[in-house]
Amino acid sequence: MSKPPGEDRTLRALGLAGVPREEPLLYPGAWPRESGLLDGDRLLPLGRAVYEGDGRVPVLAIGSNASPGQLRHKMAEFGIDAPIPMVRSRVTGLDIGVSAHVSRMGYVSASPVGAPGTVRELFVLWLDAEQLAVIDASEGVPMAGGNFDRAWLPAPDVRVEPGDGSVLRGAYAYVNRHGVLHDGTGAPRRHPGAQRPLITELLHGSARLRALFGATPEEFCARARADRRLCDRGTRLFAEEERVTASGLERYVGSGPEDPFAGGRTPSADPTAPMP
């Protein structure tokens, strides 16, 4: 598919090239304003909203998986360059919470939380077998010490409307094994969509967290990045300080349809696919 004359659809031109895995304070990265086909370094117009009959499955992007720059970076680690349809969708019954773990990427990631009646605009990624295996590995799904499980969220519990008048029968999402952070009342707190205010508030609320990660977001990211033991200590501290609650989605883990690509490629053992 070629671009119209004079239109630059590269990620850089669209302001979507940033990679949170390389610059943690960018998390969750820039999201597109509309649906598109991620094809290498370009985000092209999308011709349709549903790809269920094309050997693809729908996966809700809650955090940086909705960032084309981050997606491209993850796929490039495995030499996968097949296009990825990204469909902006109306999602009812879900909100974006804060993961109760410190990522080795240097940020505090987003996690889905059950929120009956809440409506959010989120992206649905339509992934083939290889692409799904890469995202699974990046979220730690195949690993005993991973941070996320992939869960099938069925309609009508979670209603996903891709904008063509249809409603999906369900979609996959990555549910945090550690739970999510609460807002002080016991309810899941909403991720602010930016790292700097989130980390600033978390550090302000815990002297023990500051002792581990420093007093500023910059120090936090620099210390956390690629330091597994420190990140694990920070994750345990969230629990010890009773900041953690359930996402409300735990009941869906392991209860959905069989793995659609059972027996497919699983690149989880590759050291270039660190967990978020």
Side-chain angles (χ1 to χ4, degrees):
M1 184 182 297
S2 59
K3 64 182 180 180
E7 183 180 6
D8 190 344
R9 302 290 300 185
T10 62
L11 298 186
R12 183 170 299 280
L14 296 173
L16 301 172
V19 179
R21 285 186 161 217
E22 299 295 334
E23 299 178 72
L25 285 176
L26 291 180
Y27 186 93
W31 292 14
R33 294 183 178 179
E34 57 188 7
S35 300
L37 183 70
L38 180 60
D39 186 6
D41 186 43
R42 300 182 298 166
L43 189 69
L44 305 174
L46 198 60
R48 54 194 170 100
V50 177
Y51 292 78
E52 199 162 24
D54 294 23
R56 293 178 177 271
V57 295
V59 178
L60 285 165
I62 302 299
S64 65
N65 285 333
S67 161
Q70 184 92 314
L71 267 182
R72 179 188 60 178
H73 185 273
K74 288 185 178 185
M75 294 300 158
E77 289 180 327
F78 294 98
I80 294 175
D81 57 7
I84 299 177
M86 303 180 65
V87 181
R88 190 176 180 92
S89 303
R90 175 185 171 93
V91 180
T92 305
L94 209 64
D95 206 349
I96 302 176
V98 179
S99 296
H101 82 280
V102 179
S103 168
R104 279 182 280 151
M105 297 295 100
Y107 44 68
V108 180
S109 64
S111 288
V113 297
T118 296
V119 179
R120 296 295 301 259
E121 292 288 323
L122 301 174
F123 279 89
V124 173
L125 312 178
W126 288 91
L127 304 179
D128 65 22
E130 285 195 324
Q131 292 164 347
L132 183 66
V134 168
I135 301 300
D136 275 0
S138 76
E139 305 295 348
V141 172
M143 308 168 196
N147 294 311
F148 291 88
D149 287 308
R150 173 162 48 87
W152 177 259
L153 307 183
D157 297 7
V158 176
R159 182 181 175 91
V160 182
E161 301 170 80
D164 64 349
S166 67
V167 178
L168 300 187
R169 62 187 181 90
Y172 287 107
Y174 293 97
V175 177
N176 202 295
R177 293 174 181 172
H178 305 281
V180 295
L181 300 184
H182 63 70
D183 62 3
T185 71
R189 68 180 298 168
R190 176 176 283 186
H191 200 291
Q195 281 297 286
R196 196 176 298 277
L198 174 62
I199 294 175
T200 297
E201 185 175 345
L202 293 176
L203 291 172
H204 178 75
S206 172
R208 294 172 66 190
L209 199 65
R210 292 194 298 276
L212 290 175
F213 293 98
T216 68
E218 290 79 7
E219 287 180 289
F220 183 101
C221 294
R223 293 188 188 184
R225 190 167 172 78
D227 189 333
R228 172 183 287 185
R229 292 184 178 181
L230 183 61
C231 291
D232 288 348
R233 184 69 193 92
T235 299
R236 291 195 300 273
L237 182 59
F238 286 150
E240 290 167 6
E241 293 191 334
E242 299 183 344
R243 296 189 179 202
V244 181
T245 190
S247 70
L249 302 174
E250 289 81 4
R251 68 185 184 274
Y252 298 107
V253 175
S255 65
E258 294 184 6
D259 193 320
F261 304 124
R265 178 180 177 218
T266 304
S268 59
D270 192 308
T272 64
M275 293 180 293

